[in-house]
Amino acid sequence: KAGVTQTPRYLIKTRGQQVTLSCSPISGHRSVSWYQQTPGQGLQFLFEYFSETQRNKGNFPGRFSGRQFSNSRSEMNVSTLELGDSALYLCASSYDPDRRLGIYFGPGTRLTVL
Amino acid sequence: SQQGEEDPQALSIQEGENATMNCSYKTSINNLQWYRQNSGRGLVHLILIRSNEREKHSGRLRVTLDTSKKSSSLLITASRAADTASYFCSTNSGGSNYKLTFGKGTLLTVNP
C-alpha cells in the first residue's frame, strides 16, 4: 500500500497570504489528522477528521481550518499567514475511529513564511 | 499536559552499542506507538504495542509496555549511524475526544 502523501513538500509564502496543503491518506483509512511541528513548540495537534467530519481541534486560531472529502483526502488551509506559521505540517491517517491499528504519518509540508 | 514524555532528551552512543529510551504517560491507553524522525522529515512508524501486550520485537527494536507504571521503553540493539534521529512515543486512548500529543522526543546520536 502507498503511504500517506502530502503536497506540496515545500512552500514559500509571504505574510498575509493564504496557503492550502493537501493530504492523501493510506488507502482505506478514513481518519486524517494534522500536526504542526516547530523547534520551539514541538509537535502540536491541529485537528482530526473522520468521514468528512471534524472530530477534534487543537488550540490554534481560526486562521487554521481544514476539511475532508468523501474520498478521505484532506486539505488544510491557513489564512493571513504570519511569520510564526513557518513550520513542518504533518498529516497522519488511521483506519478506524479509535485508531486501534495505529496512526501513520506523511513526509510533511515545509512551509516558510517570509 | 503532555501525554507521552520521552526520556532522556538526548542520548549519544557508539556504533554497535544498545540504546534505550523511555516514555511515560498519564492516562489509560489502547495502544502506544514509537516513531523515528530524521531531521526535518516526517515521522516514520516503528512499532505499535497494544495495552494487553507487554513486549514486542521488530528487527533490532524491542518495545516493552508496563501499564501499571504507565511507561514504555524502546531498545535499539547493535545501533548504527543510520539510527541517528529523534524518537517519539505517542499514546492513543481512542474515542473522538482524544487529541494525539507528543513529547519533545529523544535525540539519539550514534557515532561511527
Side-chain angles (χ1 to χ4, degrees), chain A residues 48-69:
Chain A
E48 181 188 19
Y49 289 87
F50 184 82
S51 293
E52 301 179 68
T53 301
Q54 186 180 89
R55 299 208 302 167
N56 215 339
K57 193 176 191 309
N59 297 324
F60 279 82
R63 300 184 298 107
F64 291 81
S65 63
R67 59 178 174 167
Q68 187 181 31
F69 302 96

Side-chain angles (χ1 to χ4, degrees), chain B residues 46-97:
Chain B
L46 294 177
I47 201 162
L48 179 150
I49 187 165
R50 295 182 173 81
S51 58
N52 60 354
E53 297 174 312
R54 291 298 165 256
E55 188 171 309
K56 208 159 180 181
H57 297 252
S58 176
R60 294 184 295 113
L61 306 180
R62 173 177 167 249
V63 168
T64 61
L65 179 64
D66 187 335
T67 52
S68 66
K69 295 181 179 177
K70 292 186 169 57
S71 67
S72 173
S73 67
L74 169 66
L75 168 68
I76 304 173
T77 59
S79 63
R80 305 166 182 168
D83 294 328
T84 295
S86 290
Y87 291 82
F88 296 88
C89 69
S90 76
T91 56
N92 175 37
S93 299
S96 59
N97 290 326

Side-chain angles (χ1 to χ4, degrees), chain A residues 90-111:
Chain A
L90 294 163
C91 166
S93 74
S94 54
Y95 174 76
D96 62 298
D98 288 331
R99 314 167 205 87
R100 291 181 184 276
L101 300 181
I103 303 162
Y104 298 86
F105 284 81
T109 293
R110 171 73 62 185
L111 172 65

